[in-house]
Amino acid sequence: MAPAVTYSEEQLVALLQQGSREAFNYLYANYSAVLYGIVQRVVTDENTAQDVLQDVFVKIWNNVARYDATKGRIYTWMLNIARNAAIDKLRSKGEIMKGKIQPDEYLVNNLHQSKVEQSTDAIGLKKIVAGLKPELYSIVNMAYFKGYTLDEISKELSIPLGTVKTRMRSAMQQLRTYFKN
Amino acid sequence: MDVRAYIDSGLLEAYVLGALPEADAAGVACMAGNSPEVATELAALESSLIELSEAAAVPPPAAMQEQIWAKLQHRGPLEISRPAAVISSEPIVAGSHLQPDDAATTAGIPAVEAPLPPQGRRVDISPATAPRRNTFLRAAVWLALLGSLAINVYLKQDMQGRGQKATAQIAALTEQQQALSQQQQTMSRQLAAFRQERDMMMQPAMKMVLMRGTKNGQDMAGMVFWNAKQKEAYVSLTGMPQPPTGKQYQLWAIIAGKPVSLGVMPPPMAGQPGANKVDASVASGQAFAVSLEPMGGSASPTADQVLIVGAVEG
């Protein structure tokens, strides 16, 4: 699966702006799995996830001209498009408002129910998560994969806003250490 | 506000995780534009998040690649350039089995005309068949002519097309190269600005005041760096939109509850990274604010036009 050529982020932007088949193939080969992973983690339903992934590619394709390199990496820009599209879908279905979520169960459910579990990549995620305290990962998960704001997390978990921020910081610090090793 | 405390607050994590409301997110983006430490921290957080996302990667079903490509063809920006390509490629199909050679065209015409004299001599005798034959021949001649014309047009277009394509490619490459070198220039300029700012911010007495939008739904933010000891202040409008024509931003210090003008800011400053030194000396103040005023500024801020405000902490 290793691509024959690896482009730098600047080259990738220039390539995408050409809108060629090669550009698409490169984009797809290198980023579709990450984008799909995020989308699936957010919306869980496979058919919905596939619809959202299509929209994500359309958005990337049509908006790449408006991507502003001074505002951050193209990779982050693409991840955010995927995340936002998936969360919008989730919200439009009203799923995010459904029911209360138990923090610990939340984490367990998320890892054990999703079909993602099968792939080796998701095992990678599991390993990372195993190294992270559940109360830390659940906050990252709620924010990043479920689109909760600080306030919403604080209300949902009945913990003070300051604690949410502190935990976010610890969680990200631990992730950083993990990825460094 | 001290940068270290800001970084430790967890706000940057909330920002990269997408958990901040818009106004706060604008504040973080503005801080990142003004503090290299914050920018570095954000970049590191983004990398971790990319790695977390990669750990969650799942290849989509194989059929999706073609599906998505088809969808992009329907809606993508390519749509505009497609019809031209189709038109110019049509003669290839129609004429490619004919010899694309001028000699063939001239040779083709006599070949068609040759059977004509024996039949054509007695046109009046067999009026029923001759015109039909004639029509057929005429059609054949026309067809041959059109065919040759098509080939010529195609060949010419093809040559032109290739030439144009090459020229376009060269132009695109040159443009790309220019864009890159421009980018590099911008970046080194930004880096220099960052360095200067870092030095400025390293001054122990330097206070950072983040000014936040006063109006809901408006994504605005600015920063004042203030060294009360040296009575020096710097202002950054990274998070501000361009002011409308005929207007400019004016900076105010709130001293004992009253706004005191620190001067107007040139319109191009808005949205630019980096901080500019304030000419006026700033000895005291409890807060800073920016308002939108007519060119030249006002004696006191226009009510309702005070767009961002930030209190001095500590």
Side-chain angles (χ1 to χ4, degrees), chain B residues 127-292:
Chain B
T129 52
R132 208 161 16 122
R133 183 84 184 169
N134 247 335
T135 321
F136 173 75
L137 282 172
R138 261 174 225 233
V141 169
W142 274 112
L143 217 71
L145 275 170
L146 283 175
S148 109
L149 197 68
I151 292 163
N152 280 320
V153 168
Y154 159 65
L155 283 174
K156 196 158 180 226
Q157 271 186 356
D158 189 47
M159 293 288 282
Q160 273 178 349
R162 275 180 216 196
Q164 273 166 5
K165 220 166 146 191
T167 321
Q169 270 171 353
I170 291 167
L173 283 171
T174 318
E175 215 170 278
Q176 232 175 51
Q177 203 241 327
Q178 276 169 353
L180 280 173
S181 85
Q182 250 168 24
Q183 227 173 39
Q184 204 233 326
Q185 275 172 12
T186 321
M187 279 169 72
S188 44
R189 239 182 290 131
Q190 276 177 358
L191 187 67
F194 270 153
R195 287 217 175 104
Q196 215 178 347
E197 269 181 65
R198 187 200 51 202
D199 294 345
M200 168 193 91
M201 281 188 281
M202 295 289 269
Q203 298 171 17
M206 191 60 79
K207 279 183 179 166
M208 289 168 64
V209 181
L210 175 60
M211 296 179 287
R212 290 154 51 117
T214 57
K215 295 185 166 56
N216 277 340
Q218 282 187 12
D219 223 11
M220 296 181 184
M223 306 251 1
V224 169
F225 305 89
W226 180 35
N227 188 333
K229 248 187 215 157
Q230 299 185 354
K231 300 177 187 170
E232 276 178 5
Y234 298 80
V235 61
S236 157
L237 296 182
T238 313
M240 298 297 285
Q242 275 298 308
T245 29
K247 303 255 178 176
Q248 67 186 140
Y249 293 122
Q250 189 167 2
L251 179 67
W252 307 87
I254 315 297
I255 302 169
K258 285 216 172 101
V260 175
S261 174
L262 296 178
V264 289
M265 290 168 276
M269 232 182 97
Q272 288 305 307
N276 294 48
K277 192 164 185 297
V278 176
D279 288 336
S281 88
V282 187
S284 63
Q286 290 81 51
F288 293 97
V290 170
S291 67
L292 187 64

Side-chain angles (χ1 to χ4, degrees), chain A residues 95-120:
Chain A
E95 284 178 28
I96 203 159
M97 298 308 170
K98 261 192 234 156
K100 289 268 168 269
I101 294 159
Q102 301 302 314
D104 289 340
E105 249 176 66
Y106 188 79
L107 168 76
V108 175
N109 281 348
N110 235 292
L111 281 173
H112 292 277
Q113 280 180 358
S114 84
K115 293 155 194 141
V116 172
E117 208 192 358
Q118 307 284 323
S119 86
T120 34

Side-chain angles (χ1 to χ4, degrees), chain B residues 15-87:
Chain B
Y15 174 78
V16 294
L17 288 168
L20 283 186
E22 243 173 67
D24 294 326
V28 173
C30 181
M31 281 294 288
N34 285 298
S35 157
E37 281 99 327
V38 173
T40 310
E41 181 74 12
L42 265 189
L45 287 171
E46 280 182 358
S47 297
S48 301
L49 216 49
I50 284 174
E51 286 181 275
L52 180 69
S53 310
E54 282 179 346
V58 185
M64 287 205 73
Q65 184 163 2
E66 285 311 313
Q67 260 174 40
I68 294 175
W69 175 246
K71 198 165 178 175
L72 295 182
Q73 292 308 97
H74 278 286
R75 313 184 167 185
L78 280 183
E79 214 176 20
I80 307 151
S81 63
R82 277 291 128 152
V86 169
I87 288 164

